[in-house]
Amino acid sequence: MGKKQQKKVQNQEELLKTLGDFTSKENWDSFFTIRGSDDAFEWYAEWSQLKEPLLSNLTIPSSNDAVSAKELQILVPGCGNSKLSEYLYDEGFCNITNVDFSKVVISDMLRRNIRSRPVMKWRVMDMTNMQFAKESFGAILDKGGLDALMEPELGSKLGTQYLSEVKRLLKVGGRFICLTLAESHVLGLLFPKFRYGWKMGIHPIALKPSDRSSLQTFMVVAEKENSPALCQISSTVDQSSFGGLKNQVHGLFQALEDENKIRADYSSGSDITYALEDLKIGVEGNLAELCPSRRVQLSLGEPGVSLFCYRAVLLDAQKDFGPFAYQCAVFLVPKTRAHEWLFSSEEGQWAVVESSKAARLIMILLDSSHSDANMDDIQKDLSPLIMQLAPGDFDDEAQIPFMAASDGIKQRKIVQEITSPLTGPIIVDDVIYEKVDDNISRLFASDDVIFRRLTFQRTESLVQSEAVLSKEGSPKSVADINQKTGQSSSKSKKGNQKKSGSNVSSSDGLSSDLKVDHSYLASSYHTGIISGFTLISSHLDGLASTGGTVRSVVIGLGAGLLPMFLCKHLSFAEIEVLELDPVVVDLARDYFDFRDDERLKVHVTDGLKYVKDAAHAVTNGYENDVSEAKVPSSNGNSIPSSAPLKNTEKIDMLIVDVDSSDSSSGLSCPAADFVEESFLVAAKDSLSDQGLFVINLVTRSQAIKDSIYSKLKSVFPHLFHLQLDEDVNDVIFALKTETCITEDKFHEASQQLTRLLNLENSPWGQNITEATSKIKRLR
């Protein structure tokens, strides 16, 4: 390179440094003013390197014959003062429109070409928002424009807008020819944008002998197809031929390999997430028509176009879901619930569609990026995107309804937040619901009955325990109120929830003069569990009349409400509670007034291991020791506990009431280990001959229910169940004995049970009788 040429390159580099931000119009105006109109600046490569590959790609076949150079409409966005358009014009491509947002350079280029190239057009225009009609061009030629928009610190906003314009403006059969350095962040946008309905290739531009140390320029060609096919990206790049540019070429090959793998996976039927643009060209059929049972995962929104990006699922209702109240509706799922089986699994999503009464439901799964946004902003942002997904016969003037989960909470105060090493974040809160049963209001002499709840963050929609707070001595006499009392559901899915409406604050509680009322069970499934004792009421009555003891084991303490109720009302019971997490024991004692005594003992131990050891012990006739877990409590002190239980006695009632740490599996309660056949066999072996096994099952999946029923039937001779809370809670009762009570004796047996519980003159007794009438045999 001669001294004159070296000086020119040095001056160009100094001039480029004045640009700073390549996306600034003012900077480019200044750059072109200083440079002048006669001194062309060429990005990446010069005409001698580009002529052959460009001319071969601009001879574009149409449906019949090749389009002539004179007929081909070419767009050059971000043209700058490059001579590329002039060379093409001189080769016979006259219909060239050049676009740049710098008035300075467009004025200079117009003056330079007005006489010698009169047909060529020049427009001052932003390449991310061009004022041309759809499908106006047969070729779009980009020389470094996309790279300039994709400065890493600016993100992909401008690049996304620009490529959307490119796709809009190209005719079918047209080609987007992009000259780029092929950096990873550029290819990470470019490749996915041209997935469906595009044939794509990438090729190196030959370097001049004097430029061997320069960065390699590549030509990406994307041809617009007439069908939404998905093709592999072809490449003529030979990695071995780029000795001094290994880092640059390695990044390209990695991006190319990753993208082609995604395309191969999609082609083989793997889980696909489409862009809205892909769906609009028909990759999953005609969106204007409802297609029963169609389910499509997609992403909505683009940086710079909408406020947020969204993960969504489009579901066209199955044929038997009608009649429909809505042609199209939206269902917003908050981040805290997006992992749940109901919203994350295909089976769960169809259940939501059926209950929504929408012919087409678009489920939006919110995430942490939406945490600071209010629902009005999200709805406003989504509305124009959703309208593009509405069926073709949808009335444009009609509003698409937005549904969201709402917990129906009128007021809420957080009493305690703590993180357990075993369970994770746990919340104790006091709430007043917007609506409770009138009988509850009368019973507790208040329109705003306060409930105290225990919730594990890992399953936030699943309230572990729920108690009513009342003044000591409450509730008032129930002789003059209706016997049927309403009950809030606990450890059950809260349908139609909307947390954003709650009034949340930290506090000692909504009222400091109230205490947990252990005479009332707020959780309907607790009442359901007790109603199942009807199945062994004769056995219980026999023990009571002979001065015997009912040996009961409860796995899972929660707030301790069920064990406290049993201890209070079943005077001849000895109750052992097995809880793995000492933090939960602390919370039960500190916030729910749980107290153990000679008849009610709590052990910090593994319930699974205990039952298996107990079964082994009673089978082999030796004592079983309950080993206390060596885990510190929430305050760092040891948990006061009863002495280790040593016995060879069998269990009369074994109750499993624990949640699953992974609700995404579709099983919220219990943990999967508690329904494995090995545990069920151990549970049966640990029971007395007349013993009862109870398990609280929470799942919306019928397939999971059927699987668990099948396992239980293979172990126990008799199974019964009680369906609660809109088919979410399913309390299952299993008997060890070969002979059992018949269903026509249930009412009489329930009366016997209420007497044993000293509840015959109480509305709770009536609740138990009513629940018993709903118990059904599983055949």
Side-chain angles (χ1 to χ4, degrees), residues 301-535:
E302 292 180 322
V305 179
S306 53
L307 289 176
F308 302 103
C309 295
Y310 305 90
R311 188 161 57 97
V313 186
L314 180 148
L315 301 116
D316 283 351
Q318 297 169 13
K319 285 183 177 179
D320 57 350
F321 282 3
F324 302 110
Y326 312 104
Q327 271 288 91
C328 185
V330 180
F331 193 93
L332 299 175
V333 182
K335 170 184 173 287
T336 53
R337 300 195 63 187
H339 70 285
E340 291 178 22
W341 173 88
L342 187 62
F343 307 114
S344 64
S345 73
E346 185 171 346
E347 187 182 354
Q349 290 167 1
W350 285 122
V352 176
V353 174
E354 185 172 13
S355 64
S356 73
K357 297 300 179 185
R360 173 171 292 171
L361 186 70
I362 300 157
M363 186 178 290
I364 307 295
L365 302 161
L366 301 177
D367 57 37
S368 54
S369 68
H370 311 111
S371 298
D372 296 330
N374 63 52
M375 287 299 142
D376 287 341
D377 289 340
I378 287 175
Q379 183 171 338
K380 197 175 297 182
D381 193 36
L382 276 169
S383 290
L385 300 170
I386 297 298
M387 286 303 297
Q388 298 178 62
L389 294 170
D393 57 354
F394 185 79
D395 184 353
D396 289 343
E397 296 184 4
Q399 278 197 325
I400 295 178
F402 276 70
M403 307 175 187
S406 170
D407 55 14
I409 292 176
K410 181 178 180 181
Q411 190 175 358
R412 178 187 182 215
K413 286 190 177 180
I414 294 175
V415 179
Q416 174 64 291
E417 292 180 280
I418 192 168
T419 299
S420 161
L422 289 177
T423 307
I426 305 174
I427 294 176
V428 177
D429 60 4
D430 288 354
V431 299
I432 297 174
Y433 291 112
E434 290 175 353
K435 186 177 181 180
V436 295
D437 192 281
D438 290 341
N439 289 329
I440 295 179
S441 298
R442 289 199 296 272
L443 179 64
F444 292 96
S446 173
D447 291 332
D448 291 331
V449 178
I450 301 172
F451 294 83
R452 176 159 292 176
R453 311 187 306 176
L454 177 71
T455 307
F456 297 164
Q457 200 74 21
R458 67 190 184 192
T459 50
E460 191 170 357
S461 67
L462 196 69
V463 178
Q464 298 297 318
S465 298
E466 188 170 58
V468 170
L469 299 184
S470 66
K471 293 181 180 179
E472 287 191 272
S474 293
K476 68 180 191 177
S477 171
V478 297
D480 57 345
I481 69 168
N482 293 334
Q483 288 188 314
K484 182 177 179 181
T485 61
Q487 296 174 312
S488 300
S489 64
S490 174
K491 204 170 265 190
S492 61
K493 297 286 184 179
K494 298 285 187 181
N496 298 326
Q497 297 187 339
K498 186 178 181 181
K499 301 267 187 216
S500 59
S502 302
N503 177 21
V504 181
S505 60
S506 293
S507 170
D508 290 333
L510 289 172
S511 181
S512 58
D513 63 340
L514 300 183
K515 295 185 68 176
V516 170
D517 192 327
H518 285 291
S519 66
Y520 175 75
L521 288 175
S523 301
S524 58
Y525 88 95
H526 278 162
T527 302
I529 287 173
I530 293 172
S531 72
F533 297 174
T534 296
L535 298 169

Side-chain angles (χ1 to χ4, degrees), residues 525-587:
Y525 88 95
H526 278 162
T527 302
I529 287 173
I530 293 172
S531 72
F533 297 174
T534 296
L535 298 169
I536 60 167
S537 62
S538 293
H539 175 57
L540 298 178
D541 190 50
L543 290 171
S545 62
T546 59
T549 300
V550 178
R551 184 161 174 248
S552 307
V553 173
V554 179
I555 302 177
L557 175 67
L561 304 173
L562 178 62
M564 287 286 285
F565 187 89
L566 288 177
C567 188
K568 180 182 178 70
H569 291 282
L570 206 60
S571 59
F572 54 99
E574 287 188 357
I575 304 158
E576 298 286 338
V577 184
L578 311 177
E579 172 57 54
L580 189 60
D581 192 343
V583 175
V584 173
V585 180
D586 278 343
L587 292 172

Side-chain angles (χ1 to χ4, degrees), residues 681-745:
V681 169
K684 180 184 177 185
D685 290 344
S686 70
L687 290 174
S688 64
D689 291 342
Q690 300 296 318
L692 175 69
F693 175 59
V694 185
I695 194 161
N696 180 39
L697 176 63
V698 179
T699 180
R700 291 184 184 269
S701 170
Q702 190 58 48
I704 291 175
K705 283 184 182 180
D706 290 343
S707 173
I708 292 172
Y709 293 161
S710 178
K711 290 177 183 178
L712 283 160
K713 286 175 184 176
S714 70
V715 176
F716 292 92
H718 299 287
L719 285 184
F720 297 85
H721 76 134
L722 174 62
Q723 204 82 60
L724 292 167
D725 297 325
E726 297 179 345
D727 300 330
V728 179
N729 279 73
D730 190 8
V731 184
I732 302 174
F733 310 99
L735 294 171
K736 183 176 180 178
T737 180
E738 292 292 336
T739 59
C740 71
I741 185 173
T742 56
E743 291 172 79
D744 62 324
K745 302 290 185 182

Side-chain angles (χ1 to χ4, degrees), residues 661-674:
S661 60
D662 179 21
S663 62
S664 64
S665 66
L667 183 61
S668 297
C669 289
D673 289 342
F674 287 95

Side-chain angles (χ1 to χ4, degrees), residues 23-35:
T23 65
S24 167
K25 184 174 75 69
E26 290 74 19
N27 286 0
W28 281 110
D29 281 344
S30 176
F31 173 85
F32 289 121
T33 299
I34 295 170
R35 191 173 185 90

